[in-house]
Structure formats: structure tokens, C-alpha cells
Amino acid sequence: MAQNSLPVRTTKEGAVAIDYPTLVSTPLTLQDSIKKAFGSDPDCLGIVVVDNLPPEYTRYRERLLLLADRFAALPEETREKYADEKSHYSFGWSLGKEIMNGKPDTLKGSYYANPTVDSPSVSEDQKVQHPEYYGQNIWPETNEKGLEEFEQAFKDLGRFVFKIGTEVAIACQPFASSYLTDNSISLSKLISTSQTTKARLLHYFPPSEENPLPADDEPVDSWCGFHLDHSLLTGLCSAIYLSHENDGTIRQVASPSPASGLYIRTRGGDLTKVVIPPNCLAFQTGEALELATGGQLRATPHCVRVGAGEGAEKVSRETFALFMQPDTDHIIGENETFGSFSKKVFAEHYEEKAGGFS
């Protein structure tokens, strides 16, 4: 029996919003919403916000994001124990290794892991060819004070976002199927069976002399340049802001500036600030989906800006992203696998040295 499509809902900024219970029970009724979110019309943002999530999400999000700040507060020599050069810093801790706006990015530190599998079951050749995806997860040692729950918290939030993401992919399938160059496997199957899923826990450090806040008249992407994810879909959490007081206490605060947050360019090129409510998740399209649909479903250009405001010099930003993508041997374009495409992306964002990336 045919299901009528429900009316499209949007946030006040214009991002399409969909109800999680509806997403699970009757995804076919969301086709107009999916088309509005991910289509090619000039006002399409390439992002969808999922609301009315199960109640455990709020707890998972806050627990892990607070731990992001706690890990970043470790001494540098301790943090670097968890960096992994052989995976090109794609597992464990990474700071200053990624190139952003033409220079090493020291604005933020990242902790990478695959929340769905600790040890990928792929061939040794694949592990050698693609260490960025098929390496081993690295977790803080159990004697790192205050970080005893880090691994479980990372997996709980990552697996939650992964589950919602596969359900979003199911809802996207009818719309995407007319554009996919290979319809032998669905988007949700590509994501759910893949062993390349990667989560990134991000800590944006408070401003410093080395990394001052941008002036009000600087371009919105001067602090963190516009870029594309190279996933099929990326799941995004709402950020939290933490004020680091002079007496050593840390308290959760509102964003220090209305200019802070996620900025997206619409398909028509207009700039839009998108707010993800704390109890919601957002999902945006990546370059792998653009390639897999022959350019019909385009990746979402986006950047993050932290604006100036009262007390901003003491405030850090914590957030989490989950990149959902196919295995490296899956063909996503003419003579292009996800693995070969990813190598090009890593070469753009990391300085190459003999034998690998720095």
C-alpha cells in the first residue's frame, strides 16, 4: 500500500527536520523531506536534523564530550602516547597533523576510532594498503585517571549515531536509487556492512596567541576553512562549550558568541548557519555519495567558526562526528574505489613525506 509523504518540517534556519519514530516506522513517508534536504535545488542545504531521539542519546553525548576536554587536558607527552603515525594519525590522538587553510591545524585536537569494530577482519594486504581504516583502535590506558570510561563512552555514542545513520540511509534509498551508478547494494547495506566507519571526537582549544579568535570582519571560514567530508553520510552532534575558570573549575556554558557554530553553503552557494539542538542529531552528505551518484547528490561544503564574545578566551568547544562510508574496495566512480579516492583526500590534508604522511 502506497504511503503518502508527510509535509516537510524545517528548523528556523531552514534545515529539514525529521521525526525519529517516523524514520523507523514509516521511512517512505519522508521522501519529500529527504529530497528537500539532499536534492539539487538552490536552497537545499545537504543536511537533515533528526529529532525526538531515544532518551539515552542526551546522556551518551554529554558523557563523551566532557571526556574530550579531560583527555585534551592531559600533558602533551601523555597525549602523544596515543598518537599513531603508522595510520597517518587516523587512530588515537591527533594534533597539528592535518593541514587546514594551508598550515598545520593546531586549533583543535582529535581522537579517532572505529566504534563498531576494534579489529577489522580484512586481509593483511588491505591493512597494509589502508592503515587509515583497517588499523587497531587505540584507547587510553585504564590507569589514566578520570578517563576510565573513555572507551565505553566513545563506543556508546558512536554506535548510537551509527544506528540512526543506517536508518537515515534506508529513508534515503528511494531518492538516491535513481542516481546511484551501482544499485546492486543499498546505501544502508554499504554502511552497515563496512569496516571503515570512523568517529572523530573533537576538542577546540580556547583561543591563544598562536590561534587567536577571528576578527568580526574576517571571512567566516578564516578560522577553519570550508571543506567536504569524504564519507557517504556524516553524523554530527551538537557541540558543548566549557569555560575553564582561573580557579581550575570547569563549567558548561552557552556559546560565547552567536557567530559560533556550523556554517553550510546551500546548493545555490548561499551561506547558512545551522544550529543542531542538543537533543538532536544531524546528517550531511559527503564526497563518496557525490561520486557514487555521478555528481547528482552533492557533498555538503561546511566549516566551523568560533566567534568572539564575553569570556570566549576561556572557552573550549567539544563535539563528535561519525563518518559512514563503504569498504575500500567498493567502486564509487569510474575507475575509482573508495580506497583510491581516500588516498587522494589524505594527500590533500596531510603533508606527505617519504614513506607516508606527516
Side-chain angles (χ1 to χ4, degrees):
M1 182 176 175
Q3 296 177 321
N4 293 327
S5 197
L6 293 172
V8 177
R9 289 191 299 120
T10 62
T11 66
K12 63 181 181 180
E13 299 86 18
V16 170
I18 61 176
D19 171 69
Y20 178 68
T22 304
L23 176 66
V24 175
S25 62
T26 53
L28 292 180
T29 64
L30 297 171
Q31 292 312 294
D32 286 351
S33 296
I34 296 298
K35 182 179 179 181
K36 175 67 175 175
F38 299 133
S40 299
D41 289 345
D43 61 343
C44 289
L45 281 166
I47 195 169
V48 64
V49 173
V50 183
D51 54 22
N52 296 317
L53 293 169
E56 62 266 28
Y57 168 64
T58 302
R59 183 175 74 254
Y60 288 165
R61 168 183 166 269
E62 183 161 312
R63 178 176 63 162
L64 183 60
L65 297 191
L66 291 174
L67 288 171
D69 180 73
R70 194 169 296 170
F71 184 92
L74 292 172
E76 182 180 0
E77 63 270 21
T78 303
R79 297 191 310 241
E80 288 302 314
K81 288 195 309 182
Y82 304 108
D84 185 42
E85 184 177 7
K86 65 180 181 295
S87 71
H88 307 145
Y89 303 98
S90 294
F91 284 91
W93 174 251
S94 176
L95 173 62
K97 306 301 189 296
E98 185 179 6
I99 303 302
M100 187 66 70
N101 281 0
K103 61 182 181 179
D105 181 9
T106 56
L107 297 167
K108 58 185 179 290
S110 301
Y111 204 101
Y112 293 96
N114 182 339
T116 66
V117 59
D118 277 313
S119 301
S121 54
V122 298
S123 69
E124 286 303 313
D125 181 62
Q126 284 178 292
K127 291 178 181 179
V128 170
Q129 291 297 317
H130 302 286
E132 306 90 350
Y133 294 116
Y134 298 132
Q136 291 273 130
N137 280 336
I138 299 168
W139 301 112
E141 295 172 3
T142 54
N143 61 358
E144 293 290 4
K145 188 177 179 181
L147 293 167
E148 298 86 355
E149 294 186 350
F150 188 94
E151 176 181 350
Q152 193 58 53
F154 198 108
K155 288 179 176 178
D156 284 346
L157 181 59
R159 290 171 180 177
F160 184 96
V161 179
F162 182 78
K163 180 179 183 294
I164 309 297
T166 57
E167 290 162 341
V168 170
I170 289 171
C172 289
Q173 185 62 34
F175 176 63
S177 62
S178 58
Y179 301 112
L180 285 168
T181 53
D182 177 10
N183 268 305
S184 64
I185 184 168
S186 67
L187 282 177
S188 61
K189 195 77 170 176
L190 277 176
I191 289 170
S192 64
T193 60
S194 173
Q195 296 188 73
T196 66
T197 302
K198 186 62 62 71
R200 183 180 190 180
L201 180 62
L202 296 117
H203 170 85
Y204 290 78
F205 291 93
S208 64
E209 288 186 16
E210 181 186 2
N211 293 310
L213 288 169
D216 290 341
D217 58 353
E218 286 186 51
V220 71
D221 66 336
S222 62
W223 198 71
C224 174
F226 272 101
H227 61 281
L228 305 172
D229 296 337
H230 65 277
S231 57
L232 290 167
L233 288 174
T234 300
L236 301 170
C237 292
S238 177
I240 66 170
Y241 296 86
L242 299 175
S243 182
H244 299 251
E245 305 300 336
N246 294 332
D247 62 3
T249 60
I250 299 171
R251 60 189 181 90
Q252 194 165 330
V253 296
S255 170
S257 168
S260 297
L262 174 69
Y263 286 81
I264 286 175
R265 289 209 179 276
T266 66
R267 304 311 197 211
D270 291 336
L271 186 66
T272 302
K273 181 174 179 283
V274 174
V275 174
I276 306 171
N279 58 348
C280 298
L281 281 169
F283 292 87
Q284 64 187 20
T285 46
E287 284 187 282
L289 186 59
E290 181 171 327
L291 284 172
T293 58
Q296 296 301 306
L297 299 183
R298 285 184 282 165
T300 304
H302 61 284
C303 73
V304 170
R305 181 181 176 92
V306 176
E310 185 176 354
E313 70 281 355
K314 300 185 293 186
V315 174
S316 66
R317 181 180 187 269
E318 325 295 328
T319 192
F320 182 82
L322 183 76
F323 306 99
M324 293 164 284
Q325 50 233 353
D327 274 311
T328 56
D329 57 1
H330 186 80
I331 297 172
I332 58 172
E334 188 174 353
N335 300 317
E336 187 89 277
T337 64
F338 179 68
S340 63
F341 167 65
S342 294
K343 285 189 177 296
K344 297 174 186 176
V345 174
F346 279 106
E348 290 174 3
H349 290 281
Y350 293 84
E351 289 182 352
E352 285 196 74
K353 290 184 177 179
F357 297 76
S358 67

